[in-house]
């Protein structure tokens, strides 16, 4: 189950491990009209050898969180991290009264490429979360965990590290990693989810070490892995 926390948080605390840059001055916190409308979330893959699965973007109130570091990931987030399937997490979020809109990019994102995703916001629904799996990995994902939507024509720039959902053992084997054609696998991955030795909580991912089929020289990364820009649609 997704965790909800009462209260408002500063963006620097919400986006754990990430860099936050806001261009322009903040308006008064009570002036929600300045966040009304559609916003464009641009995600850039800044890894060298990892693809992103379809990227989920949600708008919601301040007390909604995708996950909490050191805690068990929700079932929907586990499926995103293990399979790249955003449908269960979408259903989880839309069932919550604190969520306004959930959408996704509907395609893979290659290293160095960017994609733009539109999401609507209004009133107290003035925070955005983003998540997608890194492939090929067992259960790595990047995320923005409740960033405040910029007001007016301000632009917000964030970065995300790679997280591990802690729900699957990092064996780096082709049979246990979903996705398209991988050189190391001689074809698409398998996508099985091995049980046993998983960490059981969300943490910062330790990267690819070449202990299985994956080539660490090609697939490993140094954080951050994603750049996220949020701006109002013109």
């Amino acid at each position: 189950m997704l965790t909800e926390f009462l209260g408002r948080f500063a963006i620097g605390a919400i986006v754990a491990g990430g860099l936050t840059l806001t261009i322009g001055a903040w308006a008064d916190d009570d002036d929600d009209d300045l966040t009304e409308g559609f916003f464009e979330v641009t995600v850039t893959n800044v890894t060298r050898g990892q693809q992103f699965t379809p990227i989920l973007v949600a708008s919601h109130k301040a007390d909604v969180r995708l996950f909490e570091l050191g805690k068990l990931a929700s079932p929907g987030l586990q499926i995103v991290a293990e399979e790249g399937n955003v449908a269960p997490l979408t259903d989880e979020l839309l069932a919550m009264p604190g969520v306004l809109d959930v959408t996704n990019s509907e395609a893979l994102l290659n290293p160095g490429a960017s994609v733009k995703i539109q999401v609507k916001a209004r009133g107290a629904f003035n925070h955005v979360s983003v998540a997608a799996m890194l492939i090929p990995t067992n259960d790595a994902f990047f995320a923005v965990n409740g960033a405040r939507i910029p007001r007016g024509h301000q632009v917000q720039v964030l970065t995300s590290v790679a997280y591990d959902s802690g729900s699957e053992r990092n064996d780096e084997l082709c049979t246990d990693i979903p996705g398209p054609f991988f050189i190391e696998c001689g074809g698409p991955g398998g996508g099985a989810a091995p049980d046993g030795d998983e960490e059981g909580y969300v943490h910062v991912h330790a990267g690819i070490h070449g202990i299985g089929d994956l080539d660490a020289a090609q697939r490993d990364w140094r954080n951050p892995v994603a750049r996220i820009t949020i701006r109002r649609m013109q």
Side-chain angles (χ1 to χ4, degrees):
M1 178 180 297
L2 288 174
T3 304
E4 295 192 21
F5 290 94
L6 296 177
R8 303 178 70 86
F9 298 83
I11 292 174
I14 292 176
V15 187
L19 168 70
T20 301
L21 171 64
T22 303
I23 302 173
W26 287 111
D28 189 293
D29 279 345
D30 294 328
D31 193 353
D32 290 324
D33 290 341
L34 293 176
T35 59
E36 188 85 21
F38 281 87
F39 286 77
E40 181 180 83
V41 178
T42 302
V43 177
T44 301
N45 182 341
V46 297
T47 72
R48 183 182 63 175
Q50 292 284 335
Q51 290 179 303
F52 296 162
T53 58
I55 301 162
L56 178 146
V57 178
S59 59
H60 52 79
K61 293 182 177 179
D63 58 356
V64 175
R65 303 291 301 276
L66 287 183
F67 64 93
E68 184 178 353
L69 287 171
K71 302 292 185 180
L72 181 69
S74 74
L77 182 58
Q78 289 181 31
I79 292 174
V80 168
E82 294 177 14
E83 304 176 14
N85 179 5
V86 298
L89 182 56
T90 297
D91 292 341
E92 284 184 5
L93 289 166
L94 289 176
M96 300 172 64
V99 174
L100 175 65
D101 190 21
V102 184
T103 186
N104 70 83
S105 63
E106 300 182 349
L108 297 176
L109 188 66
N110 290 323
S114 298
V115 65
K116 299 180 186 297
I117 308 153
Q118 296 180 21
V119 67
K120 60 185 174 182
R122 70 164 183 265
F125 299 92
N126 54 16
H127 285 68
V128 166
S129 288
V130 184
M133 180 186 184
L134 277 67
I135 54 172
T137 69
N138 289 94
D139 61 343
F141 69 100
F142 81 87
V144 171
N145 198 15
R148 181 66 161 82
I149 290 175
R151 293 173 174 81
H153 296 289
Q154 296 166 350
V155 177
Q156 178 133 283
V157 182
L158 313 169
T159 62
S160 172
V161 302
Y163 298 99
D164 190 314
S165 71
S167 57
E168 182 178 325
R169 182 173 70 251
N170 294 320
D171 59 15
E172 302 179 15
L173 295 176
C174 293
T175 54
D176 299 333
I177 296 173
F181 182 91
F182 299 129
I183 293 176
E184 298 98 322
C185 304
D195 292 325
D197 296 327
E198 60 269 16
E199 299 86 359
Y201 60 93
V202 179
H203 57 91
V204 174
H205 202 287
I208 301 299
H209 298 281
I211 62 173
D213 298 318
L214 300 183
D215 181 359
Q218 297 298 320
R219 304 298 187 181
D220 195 25
W221 61 83
R222 295 295 181 268
N223 284 310
V225 297
R227 183 177 188 268
I228 303 98
T229 303
I230 307 170
R231 70 180 75 227
R232 176 184 291 276
M233 297 288 295
Q234 298 298 327

